[in-house]
Amino acid sequence: MPIASPEAYAEMLDRAKAGRYAYPAINVTSSQTLNAALKGFADAESDGIIQVSTGGAEYLSGPSIKDMVTGAVAFAAYAHEVAKKYPVNIALHTDHCPKDKLDKFVRPLMAISQERVKAGQEPLYQSHMWDGSAVPVAENLEIAAQLLDEAAKGKIVLEIEVGVVGGEEDGVENAINDKLYTTVEDGLAMVEALGLGEKGRYMAALTFGNVHGVYKPGNVKLRPEILNQIQEAVGAKYGKEKPLSLVFHGGSGSLLSEIREALDYGVVKMNIDTDTQYAFTRPAADHMLRNYDGVLKVDGEVGNKKMYDPRVWGKAAEAGMATRVTEACEHLRSTGTTMTK
C-alpha cells in the first residue's frame, strides 16, 4: 500500500480509539531500520506509524551535511517508494521538536506538504509533533494553536505534548518530578485552545509518569488513570465520550498491564525507540562476536568477506528489530487490525 492518505490516517486513528488498541510508532534512522519496521508491521498484519526525530533526520542527511529538513525529505521519499510493496498502511511522523528547532524542522516540512496539497498531491508527512513541554503551558498552547492552523492547511495531524516526559532524548533532558503528570486543568486548557477537531486534527501526549530511555518497572510510578480523569473531564464539559486521541511516550520498561490500561483510556499511538534500537543492535553484536576472525583481518589474515559484508549482519539486525515491532503490535492489540484486510 502507498503511504497512508490523510483520510486513511484519520480512519486508522479513529479505529484504534474505538477498538482500544494503539499503533506502535517506531523511530528509525536509516533505510535498514525502516525496512525492519515495515516488515514487523506486515508480519503482524498491523497498520503503523514510522517516525524520525530531529537527531534522526539530521543523521539521515549525512555526517557532513547535518540538515534536518534534507534528511527528513530524503527519508520520506525513500519510505513513500518502498512502502508501496507492503500490504499495510503506514503513516510518517516527525517526533519531538522543541521550540528552538521549529523553524529549522517542522515549519519547513509543513510548508512542503502545503505546497504538495495545493498541487493535488498528498502531504509528505502525515503528522508532526510540537514538543512544548519546556515552555509554560500558556505559551505551549499558543504555539500549538498556530501550528494546528498550518497543519490543517497541509492535511496534517498535529501532535502536542502537555506535561513533561522525563529522562533524555536527542540531548533534551527533563527531571523526574511532579511535572511528569498532566493535570485535568491542563487538559481542559488544551481543548479550549485547540478545540476538538473543528480547528484541525491533533493528538495529545498527556504525561502520567512517562520517562524516555531505559528504566526498570517501579523506578517511576506510572498513573494511567490520569488519562481517564482528563478524558472524563473534557467529555463532561463538551458532551462527548472519550473525545481525545492520546499518545504514550517513554514506555520502555512499562508493565503490560499499565500499557493496556492506557489503551482503554484512549491512547492510539505509543512511541517505541529504546527497545527497537537494542533489538536491532543485539544481533549485529552477536554476529561480530561470533565471527571475530571473519569480520576483522586478524594477524595479517584477509578475513571473510561473507562475514563482514554489511548485508549479512544487516539482515540479522533487521530481523531482530522486525520481531520486536511485531511484539509491540501484540502488546498494543493492533495485531491483525490492518484496514487492508
Side-chain angles (χ1 to χ4, degrees):
M1 297 291 291
I3 292 294
S5 66
E7 295 75 20
Y9 191 30
E11 185 179 351
M12 282 170 57
L13 299 177
D14 288 342
R15 284 165 58 109
K17 186 162 65 170
R20 298 193 174 198
Y21 61 88
Y23 300 107
I26 307 300
N27 281 72
V28 300
T29 54
S30 65
S31 61
Q32 286 184 305
T33 48
L34 166 67
N35 289 335
L38 288 170
K39 185 179 187 304
F41 284 124
D43 288 348
E45 297 185 325
S46 170
D47 300 324
I49 299 169
I50 292 176
Q51 59 191 25
V52 291
S53 64
T54 54
E58 182 181 273
Y59 179 79
L60 282 158
S61 73
S64 63
I65 305 300
K66 296 184 178 181
D67 181 84
M68 293 180 288
V69 173
T70 296
V73 170
F75 166 75
Y78 183 85
H80 274 262
E81 194 61 35
V82 297
K84 294 176 184 177
K85 301 294 185 180
Y86 289 86
V88 289
N89 291 288
I90 298 295
L92 300 182
H93 176 80
T94 60
D95 202 8
H96 293 268
C97 182
K99 181 180 178 181
D100 64 340
K101 293 182 179 178
L102 282 174
D103 289 340
K104 304 172 187 175
F105 191 50
V106 164
R107 287 193 174 109
L109 291 173
M110 281 189 175
I112 290 171
S113 286
Q114 289 171 2
E115 290 303 312
R116 287 170 62 96
V117 169
K118 286 179 183 178
Q121 300 174 311
E122 304 288 10
L124 189 64
Y125 280 80
Q126 286 61 61
S127 51
H128 294 291
M129 182 185 178
W130 148 237
D131 182 353
S133 60
V135 302
V137 172
E139 182 182 0
N140 180 355
L141 296 178
E142 180 182 355
I143 293 172
Q146 297 168 358
L147 291 171
L148 185 61
D149 183 59
E150 293 301 313
K153 294 175 184 176
K155 297 184 178 180
I156 299 162
V157 176
L158 182 69
E159 180 184 332
I160 69 167
E161 183 171 313
V162 180
V164 175
V165 176
E168 186 272 334
E169 182 173 67
D170 268 358
V172 178
E173 186 167 358
N174 291 312
I176 298 175
N177 54 35
D178 289 343
K179 291 183 179 180
L180 299 186
Y181 304 97
T182 305
T183 66
V184 169
E185 291 72 25
D186 289 342
L188 290 168
M190 174 187 72
V191 175
E192 184 175 349
L194 304 182
L196 285 173
E198 68 276 8
K199 298 179 181 180
R201 182 151 192 162
Y202 68 94
M203 298 180 282
L206 305 180
T207 56
F208 51 100
N210 320 60
V211 176
H212 286 134
V214 182
Y215 66 95
K216 295 180 179 179
N219 285 13
V220 176
K221 176 61 177 175
L222 286 177
R223 295 172 54 200
E225 67 273 11
I226 286 176
L227 303 181
N228 191 42
Q229 293 166 6
I230 295 173
Q231 287 277 29
E232 289 186 342
V234 173
K237 182 173 181 179
Y238 293 91
K240 295 185 177 182
E241 183 179 356
K242 204 158 64 173
L244 302 173
S245 295
L246 304 178
V247 181
F248 187 157
H249 285 234
S252 296
S254 300
L255 297 173
L256 183 58
S257 59
E258 295 169 334
I259 293 173
R260 294 276 175 83
E261 184 180 356
L263 302 184
D264 292 339
Y265 299 148
V267 166
V268 298
K269 171 180 181 280
M270 179 174 170
N271 288 15
I272 300 175
D273 186 16
T274 302
D275 289 353
T276 46
Q277 285 181 347
Y278 183 78
F280 182 84
T281 301
R282 179 65 181 82
D286 181 70
H287 175 86
M288 301 303 173
L289 292 171
R290 288 178 181 273
N291 301 284
Y292 181 83
D293 57 351
V295 297
L296 297 179
K297 298 181 178 181
V298 180
D299 296 331
E301 295 296 327
V302 296
N304 183 343
K305 184 179 184 301
K306 291 182 179 179
M307 291 295 104
Y308 60 74
D309 184 335
R311 291 170 294 183
V312 175
W313 55 264
K315 287 177 183 177
E318 289 176 28
M321 180 172 165
T323 297
R324 183 62 183 85
V325 171
T326 301
E327 179 184 330
C329 293
E330 181 64 29
H331 289 171
L332 299 184
R333 303 179 182 146
S334 71
T335 301
T337 64
T338 178
M339 297 191 305
T340 63
K341 292 181 67 176

